Amino acid sequence: MESMGHPEIYPLVLTTKTQEIFNCRIDEDVTDEQPHKLIKKQDILEDLHNRAAVSDFHPVKKLVQEYPGDELLLVYDKDFKYGLNFYLIGTEEGKENYLNPPEVPEEQEEYKEYIPEEVYAYKPPVSKPWVSLGSEKEIEEESVKGSTKQITYMISRKRSEFGAPIKFHDQNASSVKDAYIECTAYPDHIFTLKQLEKDVGMQVVPKMNDTSTQTRWTYPKNAATQYYPREFSEEEKESLEQSKTLSDFLNNVSISVEIALQQNEITNTFVDDWKYLAEEESTFGDKTDTHLKEYQSFTDLHSPTEKMITCVSWHPTIYGLIVVSVAVRLSFEDRVHFSDKLLLQPSLILFWSFSDPIHPQLMLESPEDIFCFQFCPSDPNIIAGGCINGQVVMWDITAHADRIENIKAGGSRSKKVTLKPMFLLEPDSNKEAMYIRHCAVSSIENGHKKVITDIHWLSDHFEIKLSKGETSLDHCPTKISLNEDHILYKTQDKVLAQSKAMKAGEVNPYHNLEGGMGNHLKPIDDFCTKFFVGTEEGEVIYTDWKMERDPETGRLMTKKPVSLYTVHDGAVHTVQRSPFYNDIILTIGGWNVAIWKENVMTGPLLQSCCAPKRYTSGHWSLTRPGVFYIGREDGYVDIWDLLEKTHEPTLSQNICITMITYIKPWTFSPKQQFLAIADYYGTLHILEIPWTLSHPSSSEVLSVNYYFEREVKHLEYVEQRKLIREQEKKEMELETEQKKVKTYHKSKEQMEAELKMDYENYLELERTILISLGLIKVSEKISYMDL
Amino acid sequence: MVVNAEGIPIRTTLDNSTTVQYAGLLHQLTMKARSTVRDIDPQNDLTFLRIRSKKHEIMVAPDKEYLLIVIQNPCE
């Protein structure tokens, strides 16, 4: 009702009945001209009383009751200006206003005409009395007034005291009474909280005490205990043996023991069938790949003359290091011819490493060309070599061991892939690879006279004394012992010129060696002192070092050889023990190969037939017991596998174009095995052995052993057959003789009759021939017969 | 070999040092084995002891007073 801005207007709805009662019917009492009607308050109240809630004035009941005046103004709202058809003006002022409306609407009409006919007369605003609308309350609330009464003080002092200097001093407040009022803090029990629960962390630290004691050993005493087992004396033993208790015991127990023994004989209960079922482990690499693969090759590019490699050895401990001895490739006459030139060049042993194929790591110098060398098995820094002139040389490379051990890094060496010409390279190579001189040389007078063809280290439990008598002989093995190391080495000669082979029946076998003798040997590790020697003539001798006393002269003499066989057609250059069996020996020479067993004296176990090319080097395989490698003079490597074929090589592969001078295999890991092949032109080829050739099958050792045993039996059989054959031969001869004798006993008459028959046959034959020739007429013949 | 209850060999086919060694060691082992068996079940007793190793088999037949020890190489 107040929303329209006229708080005194109260819109009403008056029904026709109400309109009749109050005489304000629309269009009769209340029209456009006169829309209002004054109604008495009393009438409205009566109506309200009479009709209560139904009365139209019910909404304004309160207003009517509070109305100060007597009459209320009711206005007909034709235009529904206030929402309903009638409205009631609630205040006297509003009534007055309505009844006497101000002239504002007239002015507004004048403005609307827009005819400024009259000059606007300025009327100064007339101040009207302020009508309070309630804002003064707010202002009063917000305004700030002084709440207290203000006091004024007037303070005066003597004028002379103004501006005088003032001195301040301190004073303790507590000294003056009532100078201050304090409010001390006191624990007020109302406000204290008692903590009933508390989170506390704790740590346990063990108490540690370090103490030590020391005992004093006042009287040091050595104490030892020795014991021996209790034993019965012989009589006691016998008496016990006779006792009945023992016999009863044995009777009781023997049954179960026999059962147990038989069980073991019948079957092996602990056999793992699964293990024996699997034949091959998973192979590494291609199974069908059986060829040797080229891995690397080394050639010495620095040497001016052509060289050949005489001996190859792998370093026993360092991976990838291979040592090669090179010699000048000249025959004996050429050597003598060029001997002055040869003196200027050092003879070398080269150390090659896989990581650097161009520069050798170390070079060992020697006075003459080395023909063979070996690493000391107990100390890989000592190398012993045998020279062409019979000297034995030793090197000690302990000082340089770290250089060759760090080869793998490769970083320390600057790999100058040089384009410099050869002569500029020389100082560089001198810096990089040092020449190491030998540390011990055998003297020429006391040493050998001929080429040393093989050299071996002996295990150090050999001690042999050097005796003058031996060295006076020209061609005998010299044994020198080095007391510091207890290492012995022994070498043997090779005589080139003399070719007359002495027979095995000679007294002194080492004189035997004068004629075309020995090279490669095979010493034995245990206390047996026998060894095999292969000679230049192709013989294989099995003999003994030990000296024995000759009963006649009383001197120490060397023994006769146990056996001697001429098996090979050329010089025997390889005599080698199998790494798997102690008594199997491989000899290679000339055009064939032979395998021997040590105590079998009848002959070689296996002797191959002649090969198309000469065999020049060979070696057992290190991992497979039945495999060995042979190098030929045309650069082929023959690989023999005894389990596959024994009459010819299993595999033949070409490595290089010239004669192979040395073969040496070496195992670095189960998966990697290398074969070093040295050839006549001075190149060292390293080949990788494929899986099939390096990995033995599970029972290969046994199988090859069986093979050898079979061969031994075969040899025995052959021996026996020989005997049998001899016997048979004898018998056959007897028989033939008997037959001959029988023929003589034929009777003479029979012989004459036979002769006559023959003669008559002959006459017939003669006649028929003459007749056919026409020399005798048939009629004459008949007449001759008739006569 | 035949060994008495204290481990002293009575009769043997091997050499002396081996015999003595075997006798001493196996005697102790048999005692231990027997005590083991009887600890588990006092009514039980050791009748036979077989020790199989890689190279051979050792068989021990115990008794109250003596011990028979046999060493055999099994068939493989």
Side-chain angles (χ1 to χ4, degrees):
Chain A
M1 287 184 249
E2 284 101 5
S3 62
M4 298 283 270
H6 297 270
E8 62 270 23
I9 306 293
Y10 295 101
L12 274 180
V13 178
L14 292 179
T15 57
T16 34
K17 187 143 182 23
T18 317
Q19 287 170 21
E20 280 175 17
I21 294 169
F22 290 99
N23 301 320
C24 57
R25 285 181 289 258
I26 298 172
D27 292 333
E28 285 183 18
D29 296 324
V30 181
T31 59
D32 286 339
E33 283 94 42
Q34 200 188 356
H36 62 274
K37 181 111 178 146
L38 281 163
I39 301 170
K40 287 211 171 93
K41 183 177 160 187
Q42 204 60 40
D43 291 335
I44 297 173
L45 283 171
E46 258 185 52
D47 180 53
L48 277 169
H49 185 68
N50 289 339
R51 294 204 291 172
V54 184
S55 161
D56 289 329
F57 289 104
H58 184 76
V60 295
K61 179 179 175 186
K62 199 172 174 214
L63 170 71
V64 170
Q65 282 171 347
E66 288 172 358
Y67 195 71
D70 265 341
E71 288 181 343
L72 275 87
L73 186 64
L74 184 73
V75 181
Y76 168 60
D77 190 4
K78 182 181 164 216
D79 295 328
F80 286 87
K81 201 154 82 167
Y82 294 104
L84 296 170
N85 54 2
F86 281 91
Y87 62 87
L88 194 68
I89 292 180
T91 56
E92 285 286 314
E93 293 93 8
K95 192 168 82 175
E96 294 294 321
N97 280 342
Y98 187 78
L99 289 172
N100 309 310
E103 292 174 359
V104 173
E106 290 177 16
E107 286 181 8
Q108 279 180 350
E109 285 173 16
E110 280 181 15
Y111 276 130
K112 279 179 186 172
E113 285 176 3
Y114 288 112
I115 299 170
E117 287 179 326
E118 297 173 359
V119 174
Y120 176 62
Y122 169 68
K123 288 181 189 165
V126 177
S127 63
K128 299 181 200 105
W130 176 65
V131 176
S132 165
L133 291 170
S135 57
E136 70 243 16
K137 265 188 237 158
E138 287 170 13
I139 289 168
E140 230 183 88
E141 277 167 21
E142 293 290 319
S143 63
V144 175
K145 296 182 191 98
S147 53
T148 55
K149 187 182 165 203
Q150 287 186 333
I151 309 168
T152 22
Y153 285 94
M154 196 180 86
I155 304 167
S156 65
R157 204 159 74 153
K158 272 202 255 181
R159 192 192 148 85
S160 58
E161 287 174 6
F162 275 102
I166 305 235
K167 208 176 176 184
F168 289 110
H169 64 275
D170 287 331
Q171 200 179 34
N172 201 354
S174 56
S175 59
V176 179
K177 195 179 161 197
D178 288 340
Y180 69 101
I181 298 172
E182 69 172 344
C183 184
T184 50
Y186 65 99
D188 193 352
H189 290 285
I190 306 168
F191 296 108
T192 51
L193 292 172
K194 196 170 172 190
Q195 192 173 17
L196 292 173
E197 235 181 48
K198 205 170 180 180
D199 273 327
V200 172
M202 298 222 303
Q203 186 171 12
V204 174
V205 173
K207 242 183 165 175
M208 294 225 305
N209 261 340
D210 274 327
T211 58
S212 59
T213 61
Q214 187 165 6
T215 60
R216 253 183 300 153
W217 194 19
T218 37
Y219 304 113
K221 215 174 6 171
N222 280 337
T225 319
Q226 190 170 3
Y227 60 92
Y228 57 91
R230 278 185 299 169
E231 279 178 356
F232 284 132
S233 64
E234 288 299 323
E235 301 86 22
E236 283 176 345
K237 277 192 195 168
E238 288 199 12
S239 62
L240 275 173
E241 277 172 25
Q242 306 300 326
S243 66
K244 189 171 181 303
T245 50
L246 187 68
S247 51
D248 285 343
F249 157 72
L250 284 173
N251 287 333
N252 288 337
V253 145
S254 57
I255 301 167
S256 51
V257 171
E258 272 176 21
I259 292 174
L261 287 170
Q262 280 170 2
Q263 271 178 4
N264 273 338
E265 290 292 322
I266 293 169
T267 173
N268 179 13
T269 53
F270 293 100
V271 166
D272 186 4
D273 285 325
W274 280 115
K275 197 166 70 158
Y276 292 112
L277 193 62
E279 279 210 359
E280 292 276 333
E281 296 161 13
S282 57
T283 53
F284 182 77
D286 198 5
K287 230 181 182 173
T288 58
D289 174 27
T290 52
H291 283 263
L292 305 167
K293 282 181 283 208
E294 174 95 21
Y295 188 82
Q296 213 167 10
S297 70
F298 300 103
T299 317
D300 187 18
L301 303 168
H302 298 312
S303 62
T305 53
E306 293 161 342
K307 297 224 169 148
M308 68 173 190
I309 296 179
T310 48
C311 187
V312 170
S313 177
W314 294 84
H315 196 282
T317 46
I318 299 177
Y319 171 82
L321 196 63
I322 184 165
V323 185
V324 153
S325 69
V326 287
V328 184
R329 199 192 319 148
L330 294 173
S331 67
F332 187 67
E333 292 89 16
D334 290 336
R335 252 176 218 276
V336 172
H337 194 62
F338 291 116
S339 58
D340 50 347
K341 235 194 259 177
L342 289 177
L343 275 176
L344 297 172
Q345 291 156 19
S347 328
L348 300 172
I349 289 186
L350 305 170
F351 277 60
W352 292 102
S353 155
F354 281 173
S355 58
D356 191 357
I358 302 176
H359 305 287
Q361 308 300 317
L362 274 180
M363 295 199 238
L364 308 179
E365 254 191 66
S366 92
E368 289 289 326
D369 279 341
I370 307 281
F371 211 81
C372 62
F373 70 94
Q374 286 272 345
F375 278 93
C376 172
S378 53
D379 182 7
N381 287 329
I382 296 182
I383 303 156
C387 297
I388 283 185
N389 63 345
Q391 279 183 307
V392 177
V393 185
M394 262 182 56
W395 290 270
D396 187 355
I397 55 169
T398 345
H400 306 278
D402 51 346
R403 287 184 88 224
I404 51 177
E405 271 168 21
N406 293 332
I407 281 167
K408 259 200 236 174
S412 56
R413 303 191 145 279
S414 53
K415 289 194 179 173
K416 301 177 203 163
V417 179
T418 53
L419 300 167
K420 290 188 235 167
M422 266 303 230
F423 58 88
L424 276 182
L425 267 176
E426 288 295 302
D428 278 341
S429 65
N430 272 337
K431 248 193 296 176
E432 287 178 355
M434 284 166 49
Y435 289 85
I436 300 171
R437 290 197 60 88
H438 45 270
C439 66
V441 177
S442 71
S443 62
I444 297 183
E445 307 86 47
N446 289 335
H448 305 281
K449 301 292 184 290
K450 305 290 172 181
V451 173
I452 293 173
T453 52
D454 199 11
I455 187 164
H456 283 281
W457 290 93
L458 298 175
S459 43
D460 57 1
H461 50 257
F462 278 96
E463 278 178 16
I464 302 179
K465 286 182 245 171
L466 177 64
S467 68
K468 280 284 173 182
E470 282 186 28
T471 54
S472 62
L473 288 173
D474 248 0
H475 315 285
C476 66
T478 316
K479 297 159 198 161
I480 303 173
S481 72
L482 303 167
N483 285 324
E484 316 90 60
D485 311 290
H486 301 286
I487 299 167
L488 312 169
Y489 59 99
K490 174 177 179 293
T491 56
Q492 206 162 28
D493 298 343
K494 167 173 137 176
V495 173
L496 288 171
Q498 287 174 330
S499 57
K500 292 173 216 163
M502 309 291 257
K503 288 180 212 130
E506 288 289 308
V507 171
N508 190 346
Y510 292 125
H511 277 227
N512 206 358
L513 298 170
E514 285 176 15
M517 295 324 140
N519 25 37
H520 302 243
L521 357 158
K522 219 37 195 177
I524 295 135
D525 290 330
D526 46 20
F527 282 85
C528 176
T529 53
K530 299 207 178 106
F531 62 95
F532 276 86
V533 182
T535 71
E536 214 200 20
E537 302 304 309
E539 297 158 344
V540 175
I541 306 175
Y542 181 56
T543 178
D544 200 352
W545 289 346
K546 262 195 214 148
M547 316 284 279
E548 62 177 8
R549 291 211 166 266
D550 192 17
E552 296 159 19
T553 57
R555 280 192 302 156
L556 283 172
M557 299 284 284
T558 49
K559 276 191 189 165
K560 290 188 203 182
V562 178
S563 62
L564 185 143
Y565 289 96
T566 310
V567 160
H568 299 286
D569 309 314
V572 175
H573 53 75
T574 303
V575 175
Q576 209 181 53
R577 244 170 234 278
S578 167
F580 289 90
Y581 308 104
N582 275 342
D583 49 1
I584 303 287
I585 289 137
L586 175 76
T587 59
I588 304 177
W591 277 269
N592 57 2
V593 169
I595 296 181
W596 307 77
K597 195 171 166 95
E598 192 161 333
N599 293 320
V600 172
M601 290 305 126
T602 45
L605 292 184
L606 169 74
Q607 185 180 350
S608 76
C609 59
C610 286
K613 290 282 172 185
R614 199 202 288 254
Y615 288 140
T616 48
S617 60
H619 206 281
W620 284 100
S621 161
L622 296 176
T623 49
R624 285 191 68 185
V627 172
F628 51 92
Y629 307 98
I630 304 179
R632 303 208 306 223
E633 67 174 350
D634 57 353
Y636 273 77
V637 161
D638 280 349
I639 302 170
W640 288 67
D641 185 353
L642 289 176
L643 290 178
E644 271 193 50
K645 289 188 249 190
T646 54
H647 61 282
E648 62 172 18
T650 314
L651 180 66
S652 190
Q653 189 174 344
N654 190 359
I655 308 295
C656 57
I657 49 173
T658 82
M659 184 172 91
I660 292 178
T661 52
Y662 211 85
I663 290 185
K664 194 87 189 264
W666 197 254
T667 314
F668 286 117
S669 69
K671 293 183 187 160
Q672 211 182 24
Q673 218 189 37
F674 290 114
L675 191 65
I677 296 183
D679 71 357
Y680 192 63
Y681 279 159
T683 310
L684 177 70
H685 305 269
I686 312 278
L687 297 144
E688 195 166 344
I689 300 179
W691 175 261
T692 47
L693 282 177
S694 64
H695 189 74
S697 59
S698 45
S699 59
E700 195 165 319
V701 179
L702 281 174
S703 317
V704 176
N705 212 11
Y706 281 144
Y707 167 73
F708 289 133
E709 281 172 15
R710 280 200 313 265
E711 289 298 317
V712 170
K713 281 184 193 157
H714 171 73
L715 281 174
E716 288 170 8
Y717 175 72
V718 164
E719 279 295 310
Q720 284 179 354
R721 284 300 295 182
K722 268 191 198 163
L723 292 171
I724 293 173
R725 283 229 174 272
E726 279 185 22
Q727 274 197 346
E728 279 182 1
K729 206 170 166 186
K730 279 182 194 163
E731 283 171 14
M732 288 246 314
E733 278 175 8
L734 279 173
E735 273 188 30
T736 48
E737 277 189 23
Q738 279 177 0
K739 271 189 195 163
K740 280 182 199 164
V741 168
K742 270 187 198 163
T743 52
Y744 278 130
H745 287 305
K746 252 189 219 171
S747 60
K748 275 195 179 166
E749 295 92 8
Q750 278 185 336
M751 285 187 49
E752 279 180 9
E754 282 179 11
L755 281 172
K756 209 177 175 183
M757 283 273 292
D758 283 336
Y759 184 62
E760 282 176 11
N761 284 338
Y762 168 69
L763 285 175
E764 284 278 338
L765 183 66
E766 191 188 10
R767 216 190 301 159
T768 49
I769 289 173
L770 286 174
I771 288 170
S772 63
L773 283 176
L775 295 172
I776 301 176
K777 293 208 178 112
V778 178
S779 59
E780 282 182 21
K781 178 188 163 237
I782 291 172
S783 64
Y784 173 74
M785 280 306 288
D786 283 342
L787 289 169
Chain B
M1 65 202 91
V2 181
V3 173
N4 88 332
E6 292 177 340
I8 307 172
I10 298 175
R11 182 81 182 259
T12 175
T13 58
L14 304 170
D15 59 289
N16 203 24
S17 51
T18 319
T19 305
V20 152
Q21 193 176 24
Y22 267 109
L25 295 167
L26 285 169
H27 168 256
Q28 289 177 25
L29 185 64
T30 317
M31 290 299 120
K32 189 81 181 177
R34 177 183 272 154
S35 67
T36 308
V37 167
R38 291 192 74 139
D39 274 346
I40 293 171
D41 180 10
Q43 309 290 327
N44 211 351
D45 194 8
L46 183 70
T47 47
F48 205 76
L49 184 65
R50 269 163 99 164
I51 301 165
R52 190 177 186 113
S53 73
K54 267 198 271 190
K55 295 189 185 166
H56 18 252
E57 175 149 352
I58 304 170
M59 283 168 266
V60 179
D63 188 63
K64 260 199 321 245
E65 297 164 23
Y66 302 100
L67 217 63
L68 177 67
I69 302 173
V70 179
I71 302 168
Q72 185 193 26
N73 208 1
C75 53
E76 96 274 51

